Amino acid sequence: MSGQTRKVRIGSVTIGGGSSVAVQSMTTTDTKDIDATVAQIRALEEAGCDIVRVALYDEECAQAAAKIREQIRIPLVGDVHFSARIALDAIEAGIDKIRINPGNIGSAEDVSMVARAAKAAGIPLRVGSNSGSVPKGAGSGCDALVIGTLSNIEWLENAGFEDIVVSVKSSSVPECVQAARVLSRLRPYPLHLGVTEAGTYERAVIKSAAGIGALLLDGIGDTIRVSISGDPVREVHVGKALLESLGLREQTLEIISCPTCARCRSFDVEQLARQAETLAEMCEFPMRLAVMGCEVNGPGEARRADLGIAGGRGRVALFEDGRVTGTYSPDQAFAALAAAVKAFQDRRRQEVAGKSGGARKRTGGGALGSSRA
């Protein structure tokens, strides 16, 4: 996201230098189980994951990475600790990026060997610190994360390698945010964001939204991972939703709905809002949809949306482009809304087709004029 960071290419994805923020995740399958790992990565691809990481804990895993890479579309990152040999094998296998910890990969010569191999292959290396693995003597908290990460960066810079991606992670949201802000001022490398070990779904969503969201609003961050214990596909769904909520990724169907109060009476806003979420499947073009429960804020919010429902006294009003187009009983509301969404999408499709047709006609006319000349 930050225009101040360097551009780094990870397979087919470019990060840094103002590129779109990429969503990452990591497989939970055994990397040696190629079929299971490929199946999980394909599920992540389907969910919208941009970059995926696999744990390479021995040389057999590195060999499996080559076969996995052949069967997936998105860039594959190898997570390597304690062995420069595994990193070298993974690079030879055609991995798109390696995540290493120079502090535990071996000697300075081992780090240099990995850096030289990565440079020859044209792939980046990701380094950094998290709260569970900071160097001895680095202290604690934000300072330790920054000192540890700078030390990792210097290992690579001393080896003449600068195709670097950096991360600083902690299970503490304030530590994460503070360390990333400091590091973003000190080095120009793309920054991967995440609150590590964030916990199970509900807690992880809250901690990640707070930490990652705060940094992205500061203009800091080039890739993100929402760390959730369990199915990694949920990490991607939350990551995409976070970027959409910040305006950093286009949202096909944006739904706003009120928290409800006694004025809603018999109109079940939550049920209709949940039903409305299923309409995203028919949306090819972006639109904003409001589901509001009463006459206080409902009509105003519904008028600001492309489509909106506003409840009141046993009836609901359907708004399109700020105008009331019909009133319905609450049990008719979803059917009316679905029909209106379909009509909106059909109109947009026709408008785009008309513009494309006009462009083709104009281009054709220009070509004829040129041939006459």
Side-chain angles (χ1 to χ4, degrees), residues 302-308 319-325 344 347:
R303 286 192 186 96
R304 294 174 58 199
D306 296 303
L307 292 171
F319 290 78
E320 297 186 38
D321 295 325
R323 298 177 296 104
V324 177
T325 58
F344 177 94
R347 288 195 302 272

Side-chain angles (χ1 to χ4, degrees), residues 126-188:
R126 177 187 141 196
V127 295
S129 296
N130 65 49
S131 51
S133 60
V134 294
K136 292 180 180 178
S140 60
C142 170
D143 290 345
L145 290 173
V146 173
I147 290 169
T149 301
L150 290 175
S151 174
N152 284 344
I153 292 171
E154 287 167 6
W155 278 80
L156 296 182
E157 290 178 336
N158 290 339
F161 189 87
E162 295 186 339
D163 201 8
I164 300 169
V165 180
V166 180
S167 68
V168 278
K169 292 187 175 185
S170 171
S171 54
S172 162
V173 173
E175 273 186 17
C176 264
V177 172
Q178 187 180 1
R181 284 173 175 163
V182 171
L183 192 63
S184 71
R185 294 193 294 266
L186 297 177
R187 289 294 190 276

Side-chain angles (χ1 to χ4, degrees), residues 80 89 127 212 239 246 251 258 280 335 349 353 368:
V80 181
D89 286 347
V127 295
I212 298 172
L246 298 174
Q251 188 171 7
C258 70
R349 199 170 294 110
L368 287 172

Side-chain angles (χ1 to χ4, degrees), residues 87-128:
L88 294 171
D89 286 347
I91 293 169
E92 187 175 344
I95 207 90
D96 295 302
K97 183 176 81 170
I98 295 287
R99 192 271 195 186
I100 63 169
N101 183 341
N104 70 26
I105 208 77
S107 65
E109 179 53 32
D110 288 328
V111 175
S112 293
M113 279 196 305
V114 173
R116 287 195 299 269
K119 191 169 186 176
I123 69 168
L125 297 174
R126 177 187 141 196
V127 295

Side-chain angles (χ1 to χ4, degrees), residues 33-39 41-43 45 64-74 76:
D33 188 339
I34 294 169
D35 291 342
T37 302
V38 167
I41 293 174
R42 286 178 176 169
E45 288 178 337
K67 297 178 181 178
I68 293 168
R69 186 71 199 87
E70 293 171 354
Q71 300 179 62
I72 64 173
R73 297 188 302 271
I74 60 177
L76 185 65

Side-chain angles (χ1 to χ4, degrees), residues 228-300:
I228 301 174
S229 298
D231 185 357
V233 170
R234 296 186 301 173
E235 298 184 347
V236 177
H237 289 155
V238 175
K240 288 173 59 183
L242 178 55
L243 295 181
E244 289 171 355
S245 71
L246 298 174
L248 298 176
R249 184 170 290 204
E250 187 173 74
Q251 188 171 7
T252 306
L253 179 62
E254 179 187 2
I255 297 176
I256 60 172
S257 61
C258 70
T260 78
C261 68
R263 295 186 186 90
C264 293
R265 302 184 190 181
S266 62
F267 180 38
D268 191 335
V269 172
E270 181 185 8
Q271 180 185 7
L272 183 57
R274 289 190 179 278
Q275 288 177 309
E277 289 173 352
T278 66
L279 300 176
E281 296 178 0
M282 69 168 68
C283 294
E284 181 182 354
F285 302 98
M287 65 181 301
R288 193 176 197 225
L289 192 155
V291 179
M292 306 300 292
C294 77
E295 62 273 16
V296 175
N297 293 318

Side-chain angles (χ1 to χ4, degrees), residues 7 19 26 34 38 45 223 358:
K7 281 191 176 182
S19 302
M26 186 170 182
I34 294 169
V38 167
E45 288 178 337
T223 71

